[in-house]
Amino acid sequence: AGDLGHLKLLKADLSIDCKTDRYDFLLAYAGLNVLIYCLGVPAMLFFKLARWRHELNPPFFTDEERAITARMKNKKLQADPVVLLALPYRPRYWWYEVFSLGRRFALTSVVLAFNHWHGTTAYTVLVLISVHILEREWSPMIDPFMGNFSHGLSWQILMSVIYMLFLDAKVLDAKGPGAVWYSV
């Protein structure tokens, strides 16, 4: 009573006072979870796979097919459920599941750090195009069907973002044959 201090409210929800202990606790809790899930999970997966890297990418095989066959016959590799995540990839890409996890976090979590849609849009498009090109150049999947399927899904994500950009720019509000062409 009588305190004439200034309010500090959360922009997304003006009913939340940012000067309370509860807010500070939830901010620390959110920060801890960012460290655990966005950095900790990929790091732990990488370190777990890195311990098996010589079995996942046998250095004494120059022929990739022989290395894949040797991996599939290795009972210790088959017994570890975390290592099974690396088996669909070519031997030299034993780390690709960590990259894929990083891509998912980059497109779902890091994008939330931007406070304006201009930066969010540019970031999203750059990440999508970069990952799309890297995935196609590397061709990390052993199974060609799964590689092509993954590439098709990558195109689908990229095209849906471009379509949403057209919607935001009101390009699709036009009347006539141009609107149909843009929609296709």
Side-chain angles (χ1 to χ4, degrees), residues 80-122:
D80 190 333
V82 175
V83 174
L84 290 176
L85 294 170
L87 293 182
Y89 303 107
R90 297 183 190 283
R92 68 178 174 266
Y93 297 111
W94 57 267
W95 48 266
Y96 192 78
E97 191 65 33
V98 177
F99 176 82
S100 181
L101 191 57
R103 172 187 54 93
R104 291 180 193 129
F105 283 133
L107 291 172
T108 59
S109 299
V110 176
V111 74
L112 298 175
F114 293 94
N115 60 359
H116 199 273
W117 69 272
H118 293 105
T120 303
T121 303

Side-chain angles (χ1 to χ4, degrees), residues 59-184:
F60 48 87
F61 286 112
T62 55
D63 180 27
E64 187 176 75
E65 292 301 319
R66 289 182 51 215
I68 292 169
T69 304
R71 280 192 333 185
M72 295 306 176
K73 291 180 181 177
N74 188 330
K75 299 285 187 209
K76 289 193 299 187
L77 281 178
Q78 300 291 331
D80 190 333
V82 175
V83 174
L84 290 176
L85 294 170
L87 293 182
Y89 303 107
R90 297 183 190 283
R92 68 178 174 266
Y93 297 111
W94 57 267
W95 48 266
Y96 192 78
E97 191 65 33
V98 177
F99 176 82
S100 181
L101 191 57
R103 172 187 54 93
R104 291 180 193 129
F105 283 133
L107 291 172
T108 59
S109 299
V110 176
V111 74
L112 298 175
F114 293 94
N115 60 359
H116 199 273
W117 69 272
H118 293 105
T120 303
T121 303
Y123 170 80
T124 303
V125 170
L126 286 173
V127 168
L128 283 171
I129 290 173
S130 300
V131 169
H132 182 76
I133 290 169
L134 287 173
E135 185 179 69
R136 195 55 173 181
E137 288 296 317
W138 289 339
S139 296
M141 303 290 268
I142 293 171
D143 183 6
F145 173 79
M146 290 305 293
N148 289 329
F149 184 70
S150 176
H151 186 67
L153 291 177
S154 180
W155 267 114
Q156 183 180 17
I157 294 168
L158 185 61
M159 295 309 290
S160 65
V161 169
I162 291 171
Y163 183 75
M164 286 184 265
L165 287 172
F166 281 164
L167 288 176
D168 286 344
K170 300 195 185 318
V171 172
L172 302 178
D173 290 345
K175 303 274 190 261
V180 173
W181 168 250
Y182 290 133
S183 294
V184 173

